Amino acid sequence: MAEKKKILIRIGSLRHGGAEKVLVTFLKNLSPDKYEIDLLLNLYSGKYLKDVPSWINIYYLNKGEMITTNRPQDIPEKAFRVIYQSVLKQFPKLLYKFILPNKTYDIEFAAIHGIADEILNSPIKSSKKIVWIHNDLSNIPEYTNERLKSFFKFDRVLVISQKINQLFLDLATSDEQKEKVVRIYNPIDVEEIKRLAKEPCDLAKVDNEPTFVSIGTVFPQKGFDRLLRAHRRLLDEGFKHQVWIVGDGYDFPNIKKLVDELQINDTAHLIGFKENPYPYFIQADYYILSSRYEGYPTVLFEAMTLAKPIIATDVSGVREMLNDGELGCIIENSEEAIFNGLKYFIQHPEEAKKYQHNIEAKALPFELSSAVNSIEKYLND
């Protein structure tokens, strides 16, 4: 039997984000006979902790819930976490001495781009370094071209959309750098989604009021503020409809305040975090992606798995996923376009139905085992 590959995987936490979910799905489909995996979390927290296979060793820098407020009673703990992680980032040998003592690895893997520096600064120089990039970093101001080029220090750069792939190919200055960039598909467990979607939903849609659902971590990237303002305008024009937002995050208080300011409490429902969001897909009529930027919004594949007509802003990955508009309505990345997209589906439900038929007739462009294999290939090369 071949010797097991020793792998360190790092991520911030296992809270309810797309990258976190995809990572755990990937881990659940790896064989303990082939790998010895240590998973290092900055914060031991999140709904997906319970889903990590028992054979994977979990280490962490801090433990507890994420602190997203500046309440006086939270400041000491928040400050300690920041300082502690900063020290370990600046002096990585301390991390490998006290958190990961006597550990050696064949591969060190940054499961999100935000952990890239920590992996590159590892004192284990012989390990293969891999990074998994889930976002279109060209939309994030601090990621200048020079900073983006630093990802070429990795042995492999795994990217999840054609747009991100092209971004790095355009930045590459040699064939060697281009060969490091690999386009992969995120693994999604279709059967699990369909099974969970059958569970009861605690919110029923209102008769004769089209319902739009959007699911994601509540922070500015997701554009929920734009969605709610478009919702208010449509109500003012006499278009009865509902908007459901499932998720939480540090911007939740601001979004709640906006709901109050717009006086839309009866028609815009902030559902918060749900362990199982899929019954809300089933209850709603349509899925709306209002994001300002994305990498490859896996939630659209989840919506397609459940045959929901989709409206999506034209962010990274959307054209690729929706087959240039065949499988969903692609709109400009603006508040005005969100308003017009919602209005179009309300006024023309038969057009939305066409998208549903197209989705049901089309084989989704991924399959769990092949997606896992496409990533695993780069652990073994």
Side-chain angles (χ1 to χ4, degrees):
M1 185 184 231
E3 190 173 344
K4 294 182 184 181
K5 284 270 178 81
K6 295 180 179 180
I7 303 174
L8 173 67
I9 299 176
R10 294 197 62 174
I11 195 168
S13 72
L14 290 179
R15 296 180 81 238
H16 36 278
E20 291 82 355
K21 182 175 183 178
V22 164
L23 173 62
V24 171
T25 300
F26 175 60
L27 294 175
K28 286 163 67 175
N29 286 276
L30 293 180
S31 169
D33 296 329
K34 295 169 66 177
Y35 306 106
E36 184 178 310
I37 295 178
D38 291 343
L39 177 63
L40 176 59
L41 309 174
N42 286 353
L43 182 65
Y44 186 89
S45 172
K47 65 171 279 191
Y48 299 121
L49 279 169
K50 64 178 175 32
D51 298 323
V52 176
S54 59
W55 60 272
I56 292 174
N57 307 306
I58 301 179
Y59 297 86
Y60 57 88
L61 306 186
N62 291 293
K63 193 171 186 178
E65 290 306 308
M66 185 172 288
I67 301 172
T68 59
T69 66
N70 287 316
R71 298 181 304 174
Q73 63 265 40
D74 294 332
I75 289 174
E77 174 68 15
K78 191 174 183 179
F80 171 78
R81 290 180 182 179
V82 170
I83 294 169
Y84 180 57
Q85 287 179 204
S86 296
V87 169
L88 293 178
K89 183 175 180 178
Q90 189 171 356
F91 303 101
K93 287 184 179 180
L94 293 177
L95 171 69
Y96 285 77
K97 182 175 181 180
F98 295 107
I99 308 293
L100 303 169
N102 305 313
K103 292 282 188 175
T104 58
Y105 298 104
D106 301 301
I107 297 167
E108 293 181 277
F109 194 147
I112 54 172
H113 66 269
I115 302 289
D117 290 343
E118 286 85 338
I119 293 295
L120 290 175
N121 292 334
S122 165
I124 303 175
K125 302 305 178 187
S126 60
S127 67
K128 180 196 293 183
K129 308 292 194 297
I130 299 175
V131 62
W132 194 347
I133 298 179
H134 297 265
N135 287 97
D136 180 2
L137 301 181
S138 65
N139 285 308
I140 304 177
E142 57 264 35
Y143 281 90
T144 62
N145 282 352
E146 285 308 307
R147 186 168 181 187
L148 290 172
K149 288 177 182 178
S150 70
F151 285 100
F152 291 121
K153 295 176 183 176
F154 282 89
D155 297 290
R156 290 286 182 188
V157 180
L158 308 185
V159 300
I160 63 171
S161 77
Q162 192 56 45
K163 184 177 179 183
I164 305 173
N165 187 66
Q166 195 60 52
L167 169 68
F168 281 97
L169 291 180
D170 290 343
L171 288 169
T173 57
S174 67
D175 289 341
E176 181 185 4
Q177 289 183 346
K178 289 180 180 180
E179 289 169 3
K180 291 183 176 187
V181 183
V182 180
R183 166 74 170 89
I184 60 165
Y185 282 101
N186 277 346
I188 299 169
D189 193 333
V190 170
E191 295 309 313
E192 180 184 56
I193 291 170
K194 290 180 177 178
R195 175 178 59 80
L196 291 172
K198 294 176 182 177
E199 294 186 0
C201 184
D202 58 8
L203 186 62
K205 72 183 295 292
V206 178
D207 289 340
N208 300 316
E209 292 192 16
T211 299
F212 297 84
V213 68
S214 195
I215 296 174
T217 307
V218 181
F219 61 121
Q221 171 192 338
K222 299 300 180 182
F224 293 139
D225 57 321
R226 306 193 296 183
L227 174 59
L228 293 174
R229 285 191 290 267
H231 170 58
R232 174 73 265 180
R233 286 177 60 193
L234 284 165
L235 293 175
D236 291 342
E237 291 192 7
F239 293 99
K240 290 185 176 181
H241 68 293
Q242 301 264 324
V243 168
W244 295 354
I245 296 175
V246 183
D248 70 4
Y250 71 80
D251 207 36
F252 193 93
N254 291 328
I255 294 300
K256 178 66 176 71
K257 181 180 177 183
L258 183 60
V259 168
D260 294 336
E261 289 174 352
L262 295 173
Q263 299 181 339
I264 50 176
N265 302 76
D266 293 337
T267 55
H269 299 278
L270 302 184
I271 295 165
F273 166 71
K274 290 293 179 180
E275 185 83 17
N276 175 15
Y278 301 115
Y280 296 94
F281 282 89
I282 297 298
Q283 277 290 310
D285 298 294
Y286 311 120
Y287 190 86
I288 171 72
L289 182 87
S290 55
S291 297
R292 290 180 166 89
Y293 63 90
E294 288 282 353
Y296 199 73
T298 304
V299 69
L300 294 189
F301 275 149
E302 295 172 339
M304 283 190 275
T305 296
L306 300 174
K308 283 293 137 179
I310 293 165
I311 302 169
T313 49
D314 193 2
V315 293
S316 175
V318 164
R319 289 198 170 274
E320 190 176 344
M321 298 173 85
L322 298 184
N323 206 22
D324 280 326
E326 177 192 4
L327 304 177
C329 179
I330 302 172
I331 58 175
E332 288 184 5
N333 189 358
S334 70
E335 186 174 316
E336 185 68 22
I338 293 169
F339 167 80
N340 288 326
L342 297 174
K343 186 176 181 178
Y344 182 73
F345 269 25
I346 294 170
Q347 290 183 310
H348 303 284
E350 72 285 355
E351 291 299 315
K353 201 73 176 174
K354 287 180 184 178
Y355 288 120
Q356 184 174 3
H357 291 322
N358 289 346
I359 291 168
E360 290 171 336
K362 190 96 169 177
L364 292 176
F366 66 89
E367 190 272 325
L368 180 60
S369 62
S370 61
V372 170
N373 291 341
S374 75
I375 303 168
E376 197 174 355
K377 171 184 176 181
Y378 299 103
L379 300 183
N380 299 326
D381 67 1

